[in-house]
Amino acid sequence: MSVCYFCGYEFDYGFKPGRNAECPECRKPVHCCKNCSFYKPGMKWDCSENISENVKDKESGNFCDYFVFGNSKSDGAGARKASDARKGFDNLFGNG
């Protein structure tokens, strides 16, 4: 499953974003390095694909031809949502 790096929104299986696609939840660009399955911090230019030039802003929309939407991780947004939901449940039923 692919999730928005910025907010943790879960996209439908098989969703293929266009170059100008935005997340319906946070309105951030979907076609960016941090949402790409090739995004690997620490590798040359933070990409596991053999790109010819660095994309300086990894969070802005770009025109990389190697882009494959498939980042199953987010910046912790999804985990925070789950944790917040659990806390709300626990508070509601006196388990917290």
Side-chain angles (χ1 to χ4, degrees):
M1 174 174 302
S2 296
V3 299
C4 175
Y5 170 82
F6 302 99
C7 70
Y9 177 83
E10 296 178 356
F11 288 85
D12 291 336
Y13 178 78
F15 174 72
K16 296 190 189 302
R19 293 182 191 249
N20 296 318
E22 292 182 341
C23 173
E25 185 76 22
C26 68
R27 312 309 295 174
K28 298 279 188 177
V30 176
H31 196 290
C32 71
C33 293
K34 290 192 174 180
N35 277 328
C36 181
S37 62
F38 296 120
Y39 177 68
K40 303 286 186 276
M43 294 192 76
K44 181 181 178 186
W45 294 329
D46 296 328
C47 185
S48 64
E49 196 50 67
N50 189 19
I51 57 175
S52 59
E53 60 185 68
N54 186 22
V55 176
K56 291 183 183 2
D57 188 349
K58 308 292 189 213
E59 295 182 2
S60 290
N62 62 52
F63 296 96
C64 181
D65 290 329
Y66 293 108
F67 178 84
V68 174
F69 188 44
N71 190 354
S72 60
K73 298 171 267 181
S74 71
D75 192 25
R80 283 193 302 273
K81 284 183 179 178
S83 175
D84 290 346
R86 182 67 194 178
K87 285 179 188 174
F89 178 86
D90 288 344
N91 289 338
L92 182 63
F93 292 101
N95 297 332

